[in-house]
Amino acid sequence: MSLSNGMETKVLKWLFKTESDEANSSLRPTAWYVALAKTDPTDSALGTEVTGGGYARQAATFTVAGNNASNTSPIEFPEATADYGTVVAVMIMPASTGGTASDMIVHAQLTSDKAISTGDIFRIPAGDLDINIS
């Protein structure tokens, strides 16, 4: 069984939009942060998040169209002051720090793994972080 296209859109709007007229808004996260992971997260476990070297989760906002939510503006992490290692995935979290797997909203592997060295800046262009329900 799967959701209809119309219901997929409603779920994404409920999760990623902050309109006051959306039902049950108190259950929805009020902020979304992109976290970088060095190991693959799963539906029941966080990936190993990058630490140190000036790393910090970055806030994101989303636009919903059909069954797709995508970041409305570029997401740029601070310049690495030390090697992060190889980033293989991203996780969307409801807070700027901490959390458990049950707090994780969504996760995805990168199209290509990215080694982050001192001086590198990890960027996600606007519209390139897509979250689909199908």
Side-chain angles (χ1 to χ4, degrees), residues 5-57:
N5 289 342
M7 185 53 69
E8 290 168 354
T9 300
K10 288 177 184 179
V11 167
L12 283 170
K13 283 184 177 180
W14 177 83
L15 183 60
F16 288 105
K17 302 270 251 177
T18 57
E19 292 137 353
S20 60
D21 62 339
E22 295 290 339
N24 300 314
S25 62
S26 64
L27 301 175
R28 184 181 56 238
T30 57
W32 301 268
Y33 293 88
V34 179
L36 303 179
K38 299 189 292 182
T39 60
D40 289 329
T42 68
D43 290 348
S44 59
L46 295 175
T48 302
E49 188 170 357
V50 170
T51 59
Y55 169 79
R57 291 179 187 172

Short mmCIF file of all heavy atoms in Angstrom, two decimals, residues 5-57:
data_model
loop_
_atom_site.label_atom_id
_atom_site.label_comp_id
_atom_site.label_asym_id
_atom_site.label_seq_id
_atom_site.Cartn_x
_atom_site.Cartn_y
_atom_site.Cartn_z
N ASN A 5 -0.69 10.47 -4.57
CA ASN A 5 0.13 11.65 -4.83
C ASN A 5 -0.37 12.85 -4.04
O ASN A 5 0.43 13.62 -3.50
CB ASN A 5 0.13 11.97 -6.33
CG ASN A 5 0.92 10.96 -7.12
OD1 ASN A 5 1.73 10.22 -6.58
ND2 ASN A 5 0.69 10.92 -8.41
N GLY A 6 -1.69 13.00 -3.95
CA GLY A 6 -2.23 14.12 -3.18
C GLY A 6 -1.87 14.04 -1.72
O GLY A 6 -1.52 15.05 -1.09
N MET A 7 -1.93 12.84 -1.14
CA MET A 7 -1.58 12.67 0.27
C MET A 7 -0.09 12.87 0.48
O MET A 7 0.33 13.43 1.50
CB MET A 7 -2.02 11.30 0.78
CG MET A 7 -1.80 11.12 2.28
SD MET A 7 -2.53 12.41 3.32
CE MET A 7 -4.26 12.10 3.12
N GLU A 8 0.74 12.44 -0.47
CA GLU A 8 2.18 12.66 -0.36
C GLU A 8 2.47 14.15 -0.24
O GLU A 8 3.28 14.58 0.59
CB GLU A 8 2.90 12.08 -1.57
CG GLU A 8 2.89 10.57 -1.61
CD GLU A 8 3.33 10.00 -2.94
OE1 GLU A 8 3.56 10.78 -3.90
OE2 GLU A 8 3.45 8.77 -3.04
N THR A 9 1.82 14.96 -1.06
CA THR A 9 2.01 16.40 -1.01
C THR A 9 1.57 16.95 0.34
O THR A 9 2.26 17.78 0.93
CB THR A 9 1.23 17.09 -2.15
OG1 THR A 9 1.71 16.58 -3.39
CG2 THR A 9 1.40 18.60 -2.11
N LYS A 10 0.42 16.49 0.84
CA LYS A 10 -0.06 16.98 2.13
C LYS A 10 0.91 16.64 3.25
O LYS A 10 1.16 17.45 4.14
CB LYS A 10 -1.45 16.40 2.42
CG LYS A 10 -2.53 16.99 1.55
CD LYS A 10 -3.86 16.33 1.81
CE LYS A 10 -4.91 16.89 0.85
NZ LYS A 10 -6.22 16.27 1.05
N VAL A 11 1.48 15.43 3.23
CA VAL A 11 2.43 15.03 4.27
C VAL A 11 3.68 15.92 4.22
O VAL A 11 4.15 16.42 5.24
CB VAL A 11 2.82 13.54 4.13
CG1 VAL A 11 4.03 13.19 4.99
CG2 VAL A 11 1.63 12.66 4.49
N LEU A 12 4.20 16.16 3.02
CA LEU A 12 5.39 17.01 2.90
C LEU A 12 5.09 18.44 3.34
O LEU A 12 5.90 19.07 4.02
CB LEU A 12 5.91 16.99 1.47
CG LEU A 12 6.69 15.74 1.08
CD1 LEU A 12 6.94 15.71 -0.42
CD2 LEU A 12 8.01 15.66 1.83
N LYS A 13 3.93 18.96 2.95
CA LYS A 13 3.58 20.31 3.38
C LYS A 13 3.46 20.38 4.90
O LYS A 13 3.92 21.34 5.53
CB LYS A 13 2.27 20.76 2.73
CG LYS A 13 2.44 21.17 1.29
CD LYS A 13 1.14 21.70 0.73
CE LYS A 13 1.33 22.17 -0.69
NZ LYS A 13 0.08 22.69 -1.26
N TRP A 14 2.86 19.38 5.50
CA TRP A 14 2.73 19.36 6.95
C TRP A 14 4.10 19.34 7.63
O TRP A 14 4.35 20.06 8.58
CB TRP A 14 1.92 18.13 7.39
CG TRP A 14 1.81 18.03 8.88
CD1 TRP A 14 0.92 18.67 9.68
CD2 TRP A 14 2.64 17.25 9.74
NE1 TRP A 14 1.14 18.33 10.99
CE2 TRP A 14 2.19 17.46 11.06
CE3 TRP A 14 3.72 16.39 9.52
CZ2 TRP A 14 2.78 16.85 12.15
CZ3 TRP A 14 4.31 15.78 10.62
CH2 TRP A 14 3.84 16.02 11.91
N LEU A 15 5.02 18.55 7.08
CA LEU A 15 6.32 18.37 7.71
C LEU A 15 7.25 19.56 7.49
O LEU A 15 7.94 19.99 8.41
CB LEU A 15 6.99 17.09 7.20
CG LEU A 15 8.32 16.71 7.80
CD1 LEU A 15 8.20 16.51 9.31
CD2 LEU A 15 8.84 15.45 7.15
N PHE A 16 7.28 20.10 6.28
CA PHE A 16 8.31 21.09 5.94
C PHE A 16 7.83 22.52 5.78
O PHE A 16 8.62 23.39 5.48
CB PHE A 16 9.04 20.65 4.67
CG PHE A 16 9.94 19.49 4.91
CD1 PHE A 16 9.59 18.22 4.47
CD2 PHE A 16 11.12 19.64 5.61
CE1 PHE A 16 10.42 17.14 4.71
CE2 PHE A 16 11.95 18.56 5.86
CZ PHE A 16 11.59 17.31 5.40
N LYS A 17 6.57 22.79 5.95
CA LYS A 17 6.07 24.15 5.86
C LYS A 17 5.68 24.61 7.25
O LYS A 17 5.33 23.82 8.10
CB LYS A 17 4.86 24.23 4.92
CG LYS A 17 5.14 23.73 3.52
CD LYS A 17 5.61 24.79 2.64
CE LYS A 17 4.61 25.19 1.61
NZ LYS A 17 4.95 26.24 0.77
N THR A 18 5.67 25.91 7.46
CA THR A 18 5.34 26.44 8.78
C THR A 18 4.07 27.27 8.76
O THR A 18 3.85 28.10 9.62
CB THR A 18 6.50 27.29 9.33
OG1 THR A 18 6.78 28.34 8.39
CG2 THR A 18 7.73 26.45 9.56
N GLU A 19 3.23 27.05 7.77
CA GLU A 19 1.99 27.81 7.70
C GLU A 19 1.14 27.55 8.93
O GLU A 19 0.99 26.42 9.37
CB GLU A 19 1.20 27.43 6.44
CG GLU A 19 1.90 27.89 5.19
CD GLU A 19 1.88 26.84 4.11
OE1 GLU A 19 1.43 25.71 4.36
OE2 GLU A 19 2.33 27.15 3.01
N SER A 20 0.56 28.60 9.47
CA SER A 20 -0.22 28.46 10.70
C SER A 20 -1.51 27.68 10.49
O SER A 20 -2.09 27.18 11.44
CB SER A 20 -0.53 29.84 11.27
OG SER A 20 -1.27 30.59 10.34
N ASP A 21 -1.97 27.55 9.24
CA ASP A 21 -3.23 26.85 9.02
C ASP A 21 -3.06 25.34 8.85
O ASP A 21 -4.03 24.63 8.68
CB ASP A 21 -3.95 27.42 7.79
CG ASP A 21 -3.15 27.25 6.51
OD1 ASP A 21 -1.93 27.08 6.59
OD2 ASP A 21 -3.76 27.28 5.43
N GLU A 22 -1.83 24.82 8.91
CA GLU A 22 -1.62 23.39 8.79
C GLU A 22 -2.06 22.70 10.09
O GLU A 22 -1.68 23.12 11.18
CB GLU A 22 -0.15 23.05 8.50
CG GLU A 22 0.34 23.56 7.17
CD GLU A 22 -0.25 22.82 5.99
OE1 GLU A 22 -0.74 21.68 6.15
OE2 GLU A 22 -0.24 23.39 4.90
N ALA A 23 -2.84 21.66 9.98
CA ALA A 23 -3.36 20.96 11.16
C ALA A 23 -2.23 20.33 11.97
O ALA A 23 -1.22 19.91 11.44
CB ALA A 23 -4.34 19.87 10.71
N ASN A 24 -2.41 20.30 13.26
CA ASN A 24 -1.48 19.65 14.20
C ASN A 24 -0.06 20.22 14.13
O ASN A 24 0.91 19.49 14.29
CB ASN A 24 -1.42 18.14 13.96
CG ASN A 24 -2.77 17.49 14.15
OD1 ASN A 24 -3.45 17.76 15.12
ND2 ASN A 24 -3.17 16.66 13.21
N SER A 25 0.07 21.51 13.91
CA SER A 25 1.39 22.11 13.77
C SER A 25 2.27 21.91 15.01
O SER A 25 3.48 21.96 14.92
CB SER A 25 1.29 23.59 13.42
OG SER A 25 0.64 24.29 14.46
N SER A 26 1.66 21.67 16.17
CA SER A 26 2.47 21.48 17.37
C SER A 26 3.28 20.18 17.33
O SER A 26 4.25 20.03 18.06
CB SER A 26 1.59 21.49 18.62
OG SER A 26 0.70 20.39 18.59
N LEU A 27 2.91 19.24 16.47
CA LEU A 27 3.65 17.99 16.35
C LEU A 27 4.79 18.08 15.34
O LEU A 27 5.65 17.23 15.30
CB LEU A 27 2.71 16.86 15.91
CG LEU A 27 1.53 16.58 16.84
CD1 LEU A 27 0.62 15.53 16.23
CD2 LEU A 27 2.03 16.13 18.20
N ARG A 28 4.79 19.10 14.54
CA ARG A 28 5.77 19.25 13.47
C ARG A 28 7.01 19.96 13.99
O ARG A 28 6.90 20.86 14.84
CB ARG A 28 5.12 20.07 12.35
CG ARG A 28 5.99 20.22 11.14
CD ARG A 28 5.33 21.05 10.04
NE ARG A 28 4.93 22.34 10.53
CZ ARG A 28 3.68 22.79 10.50
NH1 ARG A 28 2.72 22.05 10.02
NH2 ARG A 28 3.39 23.98 10.96
N PRO A 29 8.19 19.62 13.48
CA PRO A 29 9.39 20.37 13.87
C PRO A 29 9.22 21.84 13.51
O PRO A 29 8.55 22.18 12.53
CB PRO A 29 10.50 19.73 13.02
CG PRO A 29 9.98 18.40 12.63
CD PRO A 29 8.49 18.54 12.54
N THR A 30 9.85 22.71 14.27
CA THR A 30 9.80 24.14 13.98
C THR A 30 11.05 24.62 13.26
O THR A 30 11.12 25.76 12.83
CB THR A 30 9.60 24.95 15.26
OG1 THR A 30 10.67 24.63 16.16
CG2 THR A 30 8.26 24.62 15.91
N ALA A 31 12.05 23.76 13.16
CA ALA A 31 13.28 24.08 12.45
C ALA A 31 13.86 22.79 11.89
O ALA A 31 13.59 21.71 12.40
CB ALA A 31 14.28 24.74 13.40
N TRP A 32 14.64 22.94 10.83
CA TRP A 32 15.26 21.78 10.18
C TRP A 32 16.74 22.09 10.01
O TRP A 32 17.11 23.16 9.55
CB TRP A 32 14.61 21.52 8.82
CG TRP A 32 13.14 21.28 8.95
CD1 TRP A 32 12.53 20.07 9.11
CD2 TRP A 32 12.10 22.25 8.98
NE1 TRP A 32 11.17 20.23 9.23
CE2 TRP A 32 10.89 21.57 9.16
CE3 TRP A 32 12.06 23.64 8.89
CZ2 TRP A 32 9.65 22.22 9.24
CZ3 TRP A 32 10.84 24.29 8.97
CH2 TRP A 32 9.66 23.57 9.14
N TYR A 33 17.57 21.15 10.40
CA TYR A 33 19.02 21.32 10.33
C TYR A 33 19.63 20.18 9.53
O TYR A 33 19.29 19.02 9.75
CB TYR A 33 19.64 21.36 11.73
CG TYR A 33 19.24 22.59 12.50
CD1 TYR A 33 18.08 22.58 13.26
CD2 TYR A 33 19.99 23.75 12.43
CE1 TYR A 33 17.68 23.72 13.96
CE2 TYR A 33 19.60 24.88 13.13
CZ TYR A 33 18.45 24.86 13.88
OH TYR A 33 18.04 25.99 14.56
N VAL A 34 20.56 20.53 8.65
CA VAL A 34 21.25 19.53 7.86
C VAL A 34 22.51 19.13 8.60
O VAL A 34 23.31 19.97 9.00
CB VAL A 34 21.61 20.07 6.46
CG1 VAL A 34 22.36 19.01 5.65
CG2 VAL A 34 20.35 20.53 5.73
N ALA A 35 22.66 17.82 8.81
CA ALA A 35 23.84 17.26 9.48
C ALA A 35 24.60 16.42 8.45
O ALA A 35 23.99 15.76 7.61
CB ALA A 35 23.41 16.38 10.65
N LEU A 36 25.91 16.44 8.51
CA LEU A 36 26.75 15.64 7.63
C LEU A 36 27.20 14.38 8.34
O LEU A 36 27.58 14.44 9.52
CB LEU A 36 27.99 16.45 7.20
CG LEU A 36 27.72 17.79 6.51
CD1 LEU A 36 29.04 18.48 6.16
CD2 LEU A 36 26.86 17.60 5.27
N ALA A 37 27.15 13.26 7.64
CA ALA A 37 27.50 11.97 8.25
C ALA A 37 28.64 11.30 7.49
O ALA A 37 28.68 11.34 6.26
CB ALA A 37 26.28 11.06 8.29
N LYS A 38 29.53 10.65 8.26
CA LYS A 38 30.66 9.91 7.69
C LYS A 38 30.34 8.43 7.51
O LYS A 38 31.10 7.72 6.88
CB LYS A 38 31.90 10.08 8.57
CG LYS A 38 32.34 11.54 8.68
CD LYS A 38 33.68 11.70 9.36
CE LYS A 38 33.64 11.33 10.81
NZ LYS A 38 34.93 11.54 11.50
N THR A 39 29.23 7.98 8.09
CA THR A 39 28.74 6.62 7.86
C THR A 39 27.25 6.74 7.53
O THR A 39 26.59 7.70 7.92
CB THR A 39 28.92 5.71 9.09
OG1 THR A 39 28.19 6.25 10.19
CG2 THR A 39 30.39 5.56 9.45
N ASP A 40 26.75 5.74 6.82
CA ASP A 40 25.36 5.79 6.39
C ASP A 40 24.39 5.65 7.55
O ASP A 40 24.46 4.67 8.31
CB ASP A 40 25.07 4.66 5.39
CG ASP A 40 25.74 4.90 4.05
OD1 ASP A 40 25.89 6.08 3.67
OD2 ASP A 40 26.09 3.92 3.39
N PRO A 41 23.45 6.60 7.68
CA PRO A 41 22.38 6.40 8.65
C PRO A 41 21.37 5.39 8.10
O PRO A 41 21.36 5.11 6.89
CB PRO A 41 21.74 7.80 8.76
CG PRO A 41 22.17 8.53 7.54
CD PRO A 41 23.40 7.87 7.02
N THR A 42 20.56 4.85 8.98
CA THR A 42 19.47 3.97 8.56
C THR A 42 18.18 4.53 9.16
O THR A 42 18.22 5.53 9.88
CB THR A 42 19.68 2.53 9.06
OG1 THR A 42 19.55 2.53 10.49
CG2 THR A 42 21.03 1.97 8.64
N ASP A 43 17.08 3.89 8.88
CA ASP A 43 15.82 4.35 9.45
C ASP A 43 15.80 4.25 10.97
O ASP A 43 15.01 4.92 11.62
CB ASP A 43 14.65 3.55 8.87
CG ASP A 43 14.39 3.87 7.41
OD1 ASP A 43 14.96 4.86 6.89
OD2 ASP A 43 13.63 3.13 6.77
N SER A 44 16.68 3.42 11.54
CA SER A 44 16.68 3.22 12.98
C SER A 44 18.01 3.59 13.66
O SER A 44 18.17 3.36 14.86
CB SER A 44 16.35 1.77 13.31
OG SER A 44 17.29 0.91 12.72
N ALA A 45 18.96 4.18 12.92
CA ALA A 45 20.25 4.54 13.51
C ALA A 45 20.84 5.75 12.81
O ALA A 45 20.81 5.84 11.57
CB ALA A 45 21.22 3.36 13.42
N LEU A 46 21.37 6.67 13.60
CA LEU A 46 22.06 7.81 13.03
C LEU A 46 23.37 7.36 12.39
O LEU A 46 23.97 6.38 12.83
CB LEU A 46 22.40 8.84 14.12
CG LEU A 46 21.25 9.54 14.82
CD1 LEU A 46 21.77 10.41 15.95
CD2 LEU A 46 20.44 10.36 13.84
N GLY A 47 23.79 8.09 11.37
CA GLY A 47 25.14 7.90 10.87
C GLY A 47 26.10 8.59 11.83
O GLY A 47 25.69 9.33 12.73
N THR A 48 27.40 8.35 11.66
CA THR A 48 28.40 9.02 12.49
C THR A 48 28.54 10.45 12.00
O THR A 48 29.06 10.69 10.90
CB THR A 48 29.75 8.29 12.40
OG1 THR A 48 29.57 6.93 12.81
CG2 THR A 48 30.79 8.96 13.28
N GLU A 49 28.07 11.38 12.79
CA GLU A 49 28.08 12.78 12.38
C GLU A 49 29.49 13.35 12.47
O GLU A 49 30.27 13.00 13.35
CB GLU A 49 27.13 13.59 13.27
CG GLU A 49 26.94 15.01 12.78
CD GLU A 49 25.82 15.75 13.49
OE1 GLU A 49 25.14 15.15 14.35
OE2 GLU A 49 25.63 16.94 13.19
N VAL A 50 29.81 14.24 11.54
CA VAL A 50 31.07 14.96 11.57
C VAL A 50 31.16 15.73 12.88
O VAL A 50 30.15 16.25 13.37
CB VAL A 50 31.15 15.93 10.36
CG1 VAL A 50 32.33 16.88 10.49
CG2 VAL A 50 31.21 15.16 9.04
N THR A 51 32.36 15.81 13.44
CA THR A 51 32.59 16.61 14.64
C THR A 51 33.89 17.36 14.48
O THR A 51 34.77 16.97 13.71
CB THR A 51 32.67 15.74 15.92
OG1 THR A 51 33.74 14.81 15.77
CG2 THR A 51 31.37 15.00 16.18
N GLY A 52 34.03 18.45 15.24
CA GLY A 52 35.28 19.21 15.25
C GLY A 52 35.54 19.96 13.96
O GLY A 52 34.73 19.96 13.03
N GLY A 53 36.67 20.62 13.91
CA GLY A 53 37.10 21.30 12.70
C GLY A 53 36.18 22.43 12.26
O GLY A 53 36.12 22.76 11.07
N GLY A 54 35.45 23.04 13.20
CA GLY A 54 34.55 24.13 12.86
C GLY A 54 33.19 23.69 12.35
O GLY A 54 32.37 24.51 11.97
N TYR A 55 32.94 22.38 12.37
CA TYR A 55 31.67 21.84 11.87
C TYR A 55 30.50 22.25 12.75
O TYR A 55 30.59 22.25 13.98
CB TYR A 55 31.73 20.31 11.80
CG TYR A 55 30.37 19.68 11.55
CD1 TYR A 55 29.84 19.64 10.28
CD2 TYR A 55 29.63 19.16 12.61
CE1 TYR A 55 28.59 19.08 10.05
CE2 TYR A 55 28.38 18.59 12.39
CZ TYR A 55 27.87 18.56 11.11
OH TYR A 55 26.63 18.01 10.89
N ALA A 56 29.38 22.56 12.12
CA ALA A 56 28.11 22.80 12.82
C ALA A 56 26.98 22.50 11.84
O ALA A 56 27.10 22.78 10.64
CB ALA A 56 28.01 24.24 13.31
N ARG A 57 25.92 21.91 12.33
CA ARG A 57 24.73 21.70 11.50
C ARG A 57 24.26 23.05 10.97
O ARG A 57 24.41 24.08 11.63
CB ARG A 57 23.60 21.08 12.32
CG ARG A 57 23.87 19.65 12.73
CD ARG A 57 22.72 19.12 13.57
NE ARG A 57 23.04 17.81 14.11
CZ ARG A 57 22.29 17.16 14.99
NH1 ARG A 57 21.16 17.71 15.42
NH2 ARG A 57 22.66 15.97 15.43
#
